[in-house]
Amino acid sequence: MKQQLVPLTQLNLTNRFLFDEVMDDAQTHQDVLSIILGRDIPLLEQNISEKEHRISPLARSVRMDVFAIDENDTAYNTEMQPKKRNDLQKRSRYYQSLMDTSLLEPGITDYNLLKDSYIILIMTSDLLGLDKYVYTFKAQCQEAQEYLLEDGATRIFLNTKGKNRDEVSEELVDFLRYVENSTDGTAASIASERIQRIHKRVCKVRTNEQVGVRYMQAWEERIYDKEEAREEGLAEGACIRTISLVKRNLSKGVSVSDIAQFMGEAEDSIEKIADTIRRHPEADEAELYRLIYPSEEE
């Protein structure tokens, strides 16, 4: 069944495309951070959406949703995470390392110059299952728990489905409710001026023709990527089945020419598979596939 495009006008802020477009505005990002942290966050004007962090050309890169620095030289990365994943805690650690690498200029040896930083993940699921709206993490000394490691790093996981309303601000609860249901009706039921500004930004983005074009292009790219991955997966699966069949017949003493004739394949292709099997007798079918058909990156 072909995936249907949800109109831009019907998206909630849980959609990462809409979230990135809305948060690309520094005032909106400032409002969101101020609600989350419970204090005014005076961001600098420059706001970067989908900032790519990479340690080296060979290292895995990560696109962080929205990155900004405030007037006190504190760095913030805010990400929408609408899908439940079991790797978010380790993922936040990786984000932190990449973020730190990008914040320290090459050649600087005084690590006290490293900016304080916040990694903020807005989630539609509960990280720890404790029904909390907010989970804040800082490094703590296990032997003397009254002491925190003063490394300036803070990681915050928000849960739109929290239940501890008496432990957080009403504005934060309203904001997380709005994130999941970003409608005129929800906005009308909220008194917060900051959330009203956020809603105006959401409405502006939804009706912007240029944003609409980018949304369509991004959606088409995802569909193409998924289709390409599906086709590659089907092709890999067929090759692995062929390798398995050749391996099984070789173990029975069947000749390469007979295997090729039986399978309707070119004998030189089957010989290539057979030769790799002989040279790597302990390898399984998936390993043999990578040896026979190395990717361009390899």
Side-chain angles (χ1 to χ4, degrees):
M1 183 177 178
K2 188 174 180 180
Q3 184 178 349
Q4 297 296 315
L5 173 67
V6 178
L8 178 61
T9 55
Q10 295 179 17
L11 296 181
N12 294 314
L13 274 180
T14 51
N15 179 274
R16 294 185 68 163
F17 177 87
L18 180 63
F19 181 80
D20 290 349
E21 290 287 342
V22 168
M23 296 283 278
D24 193 48
D25 174 63
Q27 177 62 59
T28 302
H29 194 188
Q30 179 171 303
D31 283 336
V32 169
L33 290 175
S34 298
I35 292 171
I36 293 170
L37 298 175
R39 63 180 187 275
D40 288 335
I41 305 296
L43 291 183
L44 298 176
E45 286 301 314
Q46 187 177 12
N47 212 32
I48 305 173
S49 294
E50 291 196 331
K51 179 179 177 65
E52 182 172 3
H53 292 263
R54 186 191 296 267
I55 296 174
S56 75
L58 298 179
R60 175 184 173 88
S61 67
V62 170
R63 286 192 178 276
M64 297 181 171
D65 280 8
V66 189
F67 178 85
I69 297 175
D70 71 13
E71 294 176 359
N72 298 317
D73 214 28
T74 299
Y76 303 86
N77 178 74
T78 311
E79 175 174 323
M80 177 58 62
Q81 184 52 249
K83 294 183 179 179
K84 188 171 184 178
R85 301 174 57 112
N86 62 7
D87 66 348
L88 288 177
Q89 296 184 51
K90 290 288 183 68
R91 184 184 179 97
S92 71
R93 170 182 162 185
Y94 190 64
Y95 279 8
Q96 186 69 62
S97 65
L98 292 178
M99 190 174 179
D100 288 344
T101 301
S102 69
L103 290 176
L104 202 61
E105 295 294 331
I108 292 179
T109 58
D110 184 358
Y111 291 99
N112 284 320
L113 297 176
L114 193 62
K115 295 177 175 63
D116 288 352
S117 66
Y118 287 82
I119 301 286
I120 300 172
L121 278 71
I122 303 174
M123 303 164 55
T124 58
S125 57
D126 192 326
L127 182 74
L128 301 181
L130 301 176
D131 294 330
K132 303 286 188 183
Y133 281 106
V134 186
Y135 298 101
T136 303
F137 293 87
K138 292 185 178 183
Q140 181 185 56
C141 178
Q142 294 299 303
E143 292 74 19
Q145 296 188 8
E146 67 273 21
Y147 290 96
L148 295 177
L149 185 66
E150 299 294 342
D151 61 353
T154 304
R155 288 180 247 176
I156 298 174
F157 299 79
L158 297 168
N159 170 27
T160 59
K161 296 177 173 61
K163 297 179 181 178
N164 61 324
R165 299 177 67 99
D166 58 332
E167 297 178 14
V168 297
S169 71
E170 181 180 355
E171 188 176 36
L172 178 59
V173 173
D174 286 339
F175 169 69
L176 293 174
R177 177 164 61 92
Y178 175 78
V179 163
E180 280 205 327
N181 191 20
S182 312
T183 64
D184 292 339
T186 301
S189 68
I190 296 172
S192 165
E193 292 184 6
R194 282 188 283 223
I195 295 176
Q196 292 302 324
R197 283 198 298 266
I198 293 168
H199 182 59
K200 287 180 181 178
R201 170 68 179 170
V202 168
C203 294
K204 183 177 180 180
V205 168
R206 282 172 172 163
T207 56
N208 185 292
E209 291 184 5
Q210 292 180 334
V211 174
V213 171
R214 289 198 296 272
Y215 175 56
M216 177 65 74
Q217 291 173 338
W219 180 79
E220 290 175 347
E221 287 175 5
R222 284 199 303 274
I223 295 299
Y224 292 148
D225 288 345
K226 287 181 180 179
E227 183 63 25
E228 184 176 346
R230 188 186 73 84
E231 291 175 356
E232 288 177 356
L234 291 174
E236 179 178 340
C239 290
I240 287 177
R241 285 192 294 273
T242 298
I243 292 168
S244 179
L245 189 57
V246 172
K247 187 177 184 180
R248 188 161 61 249
N249 279 280
L250 284 176
S251 69
K252 295 177 180 178
V254 182
S255 69
V256 168
S257 59
D258 285 345
I259 296 173
Q261 184 176 4
F262 170 73
M263 297 180 64
E265 299 284 349
E267 188 170 331
D268 58 346
S269 297
I270 300 302
E271 178 58 47
K272 179 181 179 182
I273 296 173
D275 181 60
T276 305
I277 292 171
R278 294 188 197 103
R279 287 187 289 108
H280 303 275
E282 302 301 321
D284 62 20
E285 281 78 355
E287 293 170 327
L288 290 167
Y289 172 80
R290 289 191 289 272
L291 291 167
I292 298 167
Y293 308 105
S295 68
E296 292 181 2
E297 293 181 355
E298 296 173 332

